[in-house]
Amino acid sequence: MDKVPSRTSTDPEKNVDASSLGSDQPIVNDQLERIVWRKLDVWVLPIVSLFYLLSFLDRTNIGNAKVAGLMKDLKMTPQQYSIALTVTYVPYIVAELPSNLLLKIVGPSLMLPTMLTLWGIVTACQGTVKTYGGLLACRFFLGLLEGGVFPGLVLYLSFFYPRLRLQTRISAFFSAASISGAFGGIMAYGIVKLNGKSGHSGWQWIFIIEGVITIFVGLVSFFMMPDSPDHARFLTAEEKSYIKAKLKEDGAIAGDEADSFSWGEVAKGFLSPHVLIVGIVFFFSGVVLYSLAYFTPSIVQSLGYTAAKAQLMSVPPFSVAFVLSMVAAWISDRYQCRGAVTVFCSLLCIAGFGMFLGSTNHHVQYGSLFLAIPGTYAMAPAISTWNANNAAPHVRRATAIAIGFIMTNSGGILATWLLGALSPPPRYTKATKILLIFSVFMGFFSAINVFYLRAENKKKAEKRKSITRQEEEPGLGDKSAWFVYSL
């Protein structure tokens, strides 16, 4: 990646105060550098990770409930199951952009815990439904309340971390999705043993218990989430100033005027070529991700395992996905190679789906999940960070993040049908072919984006030779010659 020449202070005892925020001189303080990010990792990151774990768990636990008898008790057909999943995504997609635009206005400490608590209530209510219509109503409100969570959490982290530190943190909380896949299988295996207790089936207990856990965490989180570094009680005044200085130096914040709401900035987000290219990758990734998130227990069951054993056998691939996500994030942050990581992940998916399609051996097919699941789960945080890294100021970044997840969840709608009504078990032939093709497209468009961003960085480098930063038109955001795109 092109480096912008800068003057760097090496004095480890340098103090940073609010006056530093108006200076173009990069700020380095070795002592604060060690302290502030560690504090944020201890206080902010675990809450965000828990939010996303519960979000993904409560949205995808219907796959575990399906294996535990949901369809039989509600007399559902495969088509009706796919409709129930689709109903979740329509309000989910509609909610993403307005939710992200409102996040800073309402305040994350109020908006995110409220959403968490309410969707926990809806999740628990799924465990009381007696009819298919009741399930559809719950899935609709679940999607509406969860819609802003993932884009909101990515945007929320960008309030605290500079661009070059963001993927490791996004991967840390997105790895909660991998954990939820593993944790959900283990929990479901234990919970279904409550079948018949208090008149509820095992699948109903899955929803009730996991919903109650979400409600509890939501209520507690009202007292634990700071809106921004300025509102973080665990930071000193000097540490708050240092974080804001680093965010401004990085281009993550641009001052109150530049970061204020503007429909023009929303439009620029929709018109940015790199946002649209990554949006295509988000769509294909979403199809692959949610196909595996919703149907892995069913895929494993189709390989000859009992319903209970299928819950357990779905755990190991997601555990590998967690490890790979963290390793890929470290490499991506260390070497600034978001695009290379996404291409590598797409190759894992290609290999996995190729194995599943080309073999009838159940052991080989099960083994293919150890490539496809880690590949798609490691790719998601990479493209999420890539997208967030390359958009500024705040409103444009919020829009770009929302666009990415609108595309992801549009892919989720297709996923609900691919391995459901359109491609029957045990071979899932049509679905596997489509997922294989989409994996190729993920790598192809990721490579296109790398070439586009590299060309743009070269143009910016040439422009920096002819003008100074003070001479450049203000308010350009990521179009500024001093904003170097992450590759």
Side-chain angles (χ1 to χ4, degrees):
M1 186 176 88
D2 295 341
K3 297 294 183 184
V4 181
S6 63
R7 297 167 294 159
T8 304
S9 169
T10 57
D11 181 2
E13 297 303 319
K14 177 180 176 182
N15 289 324
V16 181
D17 56 30
S19 64
S20 304
L21 302 179
S23 171
D24 286 334
Q25 181 175 345
I27 298 166
V28 173
N29 183 315
D30 292 340
Q31 183 179 357
L32 286 177
E33 191 73 11
R34 287 192 300 269
I35 294 172
V36 295
W37 312 124
R38 188 183 305 126
K39 277 192 173 183
L40 292 178
D41 289 345
V42 169
W43 287 94
V44 174
L45 199 54
I47 301 172
V48 169
S49 300
L50 188 56
F51 266 52
Y52 194 63
L53 185 151
L54 294 172
S55 167
F56 212 82
L57 184 67
D58 291 342
R59 193 163 10 114
T60 60
N61 57 11
I62 191 171
N64 300 109
K66 176 189 176 188
V67 173
L70 166 72
M71 293 182 64
K72 179 182 177 182
D73 286 0
L74 297 187
K75 299 179 175 60
M76 293 166 56
T77 65
Q79 289 83 358
Q80 288 177 315
Y81 179 74
S82 294
I83 290 171
L85 299 183
T86 302
V87 164
T88 309
Y89 280 102
V90 175
Y92 196 103
I93 292 168
V94 171
E96 286 181 305
L97 179 57
S99 176
N100 242 27
L101 295 177
L102 285 171
L103 185 68
K104 195 171 185 179
I105 298 171
V106 176
S109 63
L110 175 61
M111 188 167 176
L112 292 173
T114 299
M115 292 163 61
L116 180 67
T117 305
L118 292 177
W119 94 57
I121 293 172
V122 174
T123 298
C125 287
Q126 285 181 110
T128 66
V129 299
K130 303 295 184 183
T131 65
Y132 176 62
L135 179 66
L136 290 182
C138 286
R139 299 301 296 181
F140 175 87
F141 285 105
L142 187 68
L144 184 65
L145 293 167
E146 280 199 39
V149 175
F150 194 7
L153 292 176
V154 172
L155 184 61
Y156 179 64
L157 285 182
S158 73
F159 295 171
F160 294 88
Y161 293 100
R163 291 189 295 153
L164 302 187
R165 294 182 175 273
L166 198 55
Q167 183 171 340
T168 304
R169 276 72 186 187
I170 290 178
S171 289
F173 93 73
F174 187 81
S175 65
S178 309
I179 295 172
S180 77
F183 186 58
I186 294 171
M187 281 191 67
Y189 178 75
I191 292 173
V192 293
K193 295 180 180 179
L194 295 175
N195 186 43
K197 296 287 185 180
S198 301
H200 293 297
S201 302
W203 65 266
Q204 291 179 305
W205 281 114
I206 291 175
F207 290 131
I208 292 170
I209 292 175
E210 293 178 3
V212 169
I213 293 172
T214 300
I215 294 168
F216 173 77
V217 173
L219 293 174
V220 172
S221 64
F222 277 105
F223 307 98
M224 299 182 67
M225 289 192 79
D227 279 330
S228 67
D230 276 334
H231 296 88
R233 289 175 290 181
F234 53 85
L235 295 172
T236 67
E238 184 183 26
E239 291 164 352
K240 293 175 182 178
S241 294
Y242 183 77
I243 291 172
K244 289 191 294 181
K246 297 300 288 185
L247 290 172
K248 188 169 184 181
E249 174 186 302
D250 189 55
I253 59 174
D256 292 339
E257 184 176 346
D259 281 335
S260 61
F261 180 79
S262 163
W263 284 111
E265 289 297 335
V266 174
K268 288 175 183 177
F270 276 96
L271 296 174
S272 297
H274 58 283
V275 172
L276 300 179
I277 295 170
V278 174
I280 296 172
V281 181
F282 269 111
F283 174 78
F284 293 130
S285 175
V287 177
V288 177
L289 176 70
Y290 287 116
S291 292
L292 294 172
Y294 281 119
F295 291 98
T296 292
S298 298
I299 293 170
V300 174
Q301 187 179 24
S302 74
L303 299 180
Y305 295 99
T306 64
K309 190 69 177 293
Q311 307 279 16
L312 281 182
M313 293 298 288
S314 65
V315 173
F318 287 103
S319 302
V320 174
F322 167 74
V323 175
L324 181 65
S325 295
M326 298 310 299
V327 172
W330 183 86
I331 292 172
S332 181
D333 273 352
R334 175 68 177 82
Y335 297 102
Q336 289 304 292
C337 54
R338 317 285 191 212
V341 168
T342 60
V343 172
F344 172 74
C345 291
S346 72
L347 294 176
L348 289 180
C349 293
I350 291 169
F353 292 124
M355 284 174 59
F356 192 92
L357 187 64
S359 177
T360 56
N361 184 293
H362 287 177
H363 297 293
V364 173
Q365 289 180 311
Y366 179 68
S368 73
L369 298 178
F370 285 83
L371 295 174
I373 291 176
T376 189
Y377 274 76
M379 172 177 277
I383 56 176
S384 300
T385 310
W386 205 12
N387 192 30
N389 276 178
N390 290 331
H394 168 77
V395 173
R396 201 183 307 175
R397 184 168 66 252
T399 303
I401 292 171
I403 290 170
F405 293 115
I406 287 171
M407 295 298 289
T408 297
N409 291 299
S410 297
I413 292 178
L414 178 56
T416 62
W417 292 88
L418 269 186
L419 282 88
L422 299 181
S423 189
R427 292 290 292 151
Y428 297 103
T429 303
K430 184 184 295 184
T432 306
K433 288 179 179 178
I434 293 173
L435 294 176
L436 177 59
I437 293 170
F438 282 7
S439 298
V440 173
F441 285 157
M442 288 190 301
F444 176 72
F445 282 100
S446 295
I448 287 179
N449 198 47
V450 171
F451 288 122
Y452 170 77
L453 294 175
R454 181 175 288 124
E456 290 297 301
N457 281 344
K458 288 180 179 178
K459 293 177 185 177
K460 292 184 177 192
E462 289 299 317
K463 187 175 181 181
R464 290 195 297 271
K465 295 177 182 177
S466 60
I467 64 170
T468 66
R469 193 164 192 168
Q470 288 72 25
E471 293 172 335
E472 186 180 61
E473 178 187 348
L476 292 178
D478 59 72
K479 301 301 181 184
S480 166
W482 275 263
F483 188 102
V484 181
Y485 288 124
S486 173
L487 300 183

